[in-house]
Amino acid sequence: MGHADQAGLVAYELRGSVAVLTLNRPEKRNAISDNVLSQIDFCVEKAGREARAAVLCGAGEHFCAGLDLAEHAERPLLEAITNSRQWHRVFERIERGSIPFVAALSGAVVGGGFELAAAAHIRVADETAYFGLPEGKRGIFVGGGGSVRIARLIGASRMADMMLTGRVARAEEIERWGGVNYLTPAGQATAKAFALAEAAAGNAPMSNFAVINALPRIQDMSSEDGLFTESLMASLTTETEEAKMGLRAFLEKRAGKVAPDDE
Ligand code: 1HE
């Protein structure tokens, strides 16, 4: 099926330099079917070409109910593996692309929906958000990168608890565990995520690229290799025109100072 046939499953809008991607299947709680996944891929690629940051959110009350279970029930073994690998490829494009993604979370952030959120660089949850990993209850395992990304965010032990017992964590709990970066009142996650994306969009693209691509890889290196890689990245970013302008602007007192937020 061509992308045009699936248009609408993920809404795409470019607002200034920020792309807003909205999972748009509220009647199925934004469950991720093959077509939704391929639309996410298409929109992520488009955002990478024309935006400097992106917001990922869901239409309706729920961010995402995870994998489309109706479709998955029909899948033979080998297809289940290749399908999981496809999720990995698409989420990898979010996590290791060149622009930052901010996820705005409300209602159900469940299974593959949590895995998708974990591939973003910053997560904002409103107070209605709840997080579950019901794979155990469904007789399956995470397949969208959760065992790596969610385990790193909240810890493998907390993730195991959620999967083994069906524990559903509220937004404040997940924030305490490191799974989300910001909490907002109900209905305000997308506005907050957009403001954060706009702030990130104002950075030098090379700096954002380094944060997205070097920082997480350095976590997988030895300290020695990490520090060496950091020096290489630091020298590379310093060579960019943006760095020269940014440093000069501060020294000539044209740039903003560092100050704590008002909130
Ligand atoms: C779905 C899905 C889905 C809803 N696949 N169709 N994910 C889950 O195990 C979560 C399953 N869903 C739920 O627990 C609930 O639907 C919610 C808590 C998310 C929302 O509840 P509610 O009361 O607002 O909605 P609902 O009435 O349960 O669902 C509305 C419709 O969406 C209904 O279809 P309808 O045709 O009867 O109207 C549901 O069947 C449909 N729906 N969720 C398919 N997930 C890469 S591996 C990842 C592994 C996983 O993600 S496992 C976790 C899967």
Side-chain angles (χ1 to χ4, degrees):
M1 200 184 275
H3 289 297
D5 301 323
Q6 307 148 22
L9 288 173
V10 179
Y12 180 95
E13 190 193 348
L14 188 64
R15 285 192 222 154
S17 53
V18 175
V20 180
L21 280 60
T22 310
L23 303 177
N24 191 25
R25 204 189 174 204
E27 71 288 356
K28 295 288 182 191
R29 307 307 182 253
N30 300 322
I32 302 178
S33 60
D34 289 352
N35 283 344
V36 171
L37 190 66
S38 107
Q39 269 293 294
I40 295 171
D41 196 21
F42 179 77
C43 294
V44 164
E45 205 267 327
K46 189 170 160 75
R49 269 186 287 116
E50 58 188 35
R52 287 176 70 154
V55 169
L56 192 57
C57 56
E61 285 169 28
H62 301 282
F63 174 67
C64 176
L67 175 69
D68 186 310
L69 294 171
E71 213 171 65
H72 195 66
E74 307 297 325
R75 237 172 231 136
L77 175 61
L78 185 57
E79 254 182 55
I81 299 173
T82 54
N83 184 255
S84 165
R85 298 301 294 153
Q86 182 60 12
W87 281 57
H88 290 167
R89 272 189 289 276
V90 175
F91 290 7
E92 158 98 11
R93 276 182 203 129
I94 296 172
E95 192 187 34
R96 297 279 189 271
S98 51
I99 61 164
F101 276 80
V102 187
L105 309 172
S106 60
V109 184
V110 166
F114 194 0
E115 295 182 290
L116 172 59
H121 304 98
I122 300 171
R123 279 156 295 282
V124 181
D126 81 10
E127 63 194 13
T128 70
Y130 56 93
F131 297 73
L133 292 168
E135 283 83 351
K137 303 265 169 261
R138 313 276 181 246
I140 55 177
F141 190 61
V142 285
S147 60
V148 172
R149 296 193 184 97
I150 296 174
R152 282 187 187 176
L153 280 175
I154 67 173
S157 150
R158 292 193 184 102
M159 182 174 173
D161 179 17
M162 293 177 77
M163 292 191 72
L164 293 172
T165 67
R167 179 174 183 171
V168 174
R170 294 248 152 230
E172 318 86 76
E173 257 173 324
I174 285 286
E175 194 245 2
R176 192 152 35 81
W177 295 352
V180 300
N181 307 76
Y182 297 86
L183 292 179
T184 74
Q188 292 179 28
T190 304
K192 176 73 181 175
F194 188 80
L196 295 166
E198 267 195 318
N203 295 341
M206 190 63 192
S207 294
N208 284 348
F209 182 84
V211 172
I212 292 168
N213 286 282
L215 184 59
R217 284 189 173 86
I218 288 171
Q219 308 316 300
D220 289 335
M221 295 178 188
S222 66
S223 301
E224 191 64 19
D225 291 343
L227 292 171
F228 184 72
T229 305
E230 178 186 281
S231 295
L232 293 180
M233 268 334 285
S235 61
L236 264 180
T237 49
T238 305
E239 286 308 306
T240 60
E241 204 45 46
E242 278 97 346
K244 293 193 173 70
M245 277 160 45
L247 298 174
R248 209 178 307 127
F250 178 76
L251 296 172
E252 292 170 2
K253 306 207 182 302
R254 288 181 283 112
K257 293 186 187 182
V258 175
D261 279 347
D262 298 335
E263 293 159 47

